[in-house]
Amino acid sequence: MASAVFAAPASPAAARSPAIVQHIAPSAFAYVPATITGPAPLIVVLHGAGGDARYFLEQFKHDADQRGAILLSVQSSGRTWAQRKPKDDESDVANIKAAIAELTAKAPIDRGHTTVMGFSDGASYALSIGMAYPGLFRTIIAFSPGYAFAPSRIDKEQRIFIAHSSRDPILPAANVRDMIKGLEGAGYSPEVHWFNGGHEIDPQLKNAALDFALAP
């Protein structure tokens, strides 16, 4: 593929304590459902171009409550995510890693069950950083992506879920079909879902993606 392709159980009182959004690191926000008492899966969410990390996190709080997952939403260092192959010294990579490390020190995260999930440019970056760091992210969820940068070495066991509208007016479906061919040609086996809508996160496919991410 080319380098660029398109604890002990909580007391009842503790369990009823309200969950709050926490400011993690300089550029990230986390949400830990109040009912979580032991190691839980982590979902790192990445907003689209011009988006806001805290607002984007809010869209998934109900899902996190229902499914017992911890959320971490990171703000891009620029208006959108870096459109190049992720590297350790890149600010977006450094910010995401620092936020995960800080949250891991504070919350009961199941370190073997971490997903990176994004929308639009955030989906493209989720694919790129996810594939670049398979030891950190075992699962990648991409809602309406536009591109992905392939790593030098791939992990064919990584789980990838892609949802895209066949009529997307912003990031054309044709580009995504080419990207999927590239991923498959490299040895990945992405689960791909098409829907008839706009440039958006389809509600039904959001549930399917979360089921995929949180599968045992």
Side-chain angles (χ1 to χ4, degrees):
M1 180 166 54
S3 62
V5 294
F6 292 102
S11 66
R16 291 194 298 269
S17 299
I20 61 171
V21 173
Q22 307 170 44
H23 196 180
I24 300 292
S27 58
F29 298 88
Y31 180 74
V32 182
T35 52
I36 288 179
T37 59
L42 171 66
I43 302 177
V44 178
V45 297
L46 307 179
H47 62 79
D52 177 84
R54 181 158 187 166
Y55 174 77
F56 193 56
L57 179 147
E58 294 287 340
Q59 298 181 49
F60 299 97
K61 283 172 58 178
H62 180 66
D63 301 295
D65 286 334
Q66 286 190 319
R67 297 169 181 270
I70 296 171
L71 299 177
L72 176 64
S73 186
V74 184
Q75 186 70 40
S76 61
S77 58
R79 181 181 178 277
T80 191
W81 304 95
Q83 297 183 7
R84 55 182 175 269
K85 188 178 294 188
K87 299 185 299 183
D88 287 340
D89 59 355
E90 180 180 287
S91 57
D92 285 328
V93 172
N95 289 342
I96 290 171
K97 285 187 170 184
I100 292 173
E102 184 169 335
L103 181 58
T104 299
K106 297 179 178 180
I109 291 172
D110 178 353
R111 300 183 65 177
H113 206 161
T114 299
T115 296
V116 59
M117 177 172 74
F119 168 65
S120 193
D121 276 9
S124 300
Y125 199 68
L127 284 164
S128 298
I129 193 173
M131 291 189 293
Y133 298 95
L136 185 58
F137 301 111
R138 297 308 303 150
T139 302
I140 303 169
I141 305 295
F143 295 116
S144 303
Y147 63 88
F149 288 91
S152 301
R153 299 177 63 182
I154 69 171
D155 182 346
K156 297 179 182 179
E157 300 302 312
Q158 232 176 350
R159 304 171 67 247
I160 301 176
F161 182 106
I162 299 173
H164 201 91
S165 171
S166 57
R167 303 184 297 186
D168 194 317
I170 307 298
L171 297 175
N175 292 0
V176 178
R177 290 191 177 97
D178 288 342
M179 180 185 73
I180 291 166
K181 288 180 182 178
L183 292 171
E184 292 173 339
Y188 291 103
S189 300
E191 182 171 317
V192 182
H193 296 264
W194 297 95
F195 65 97
N196 294 317
H199 188 63
E200 60 189 340
I201 298 176
D202 179 83
Q204 290 186 338
L205 289 181
K206 180 178 77 166
N207 287 328
L210 291 169
D211 287 342
F212 181 90
L214 301 178

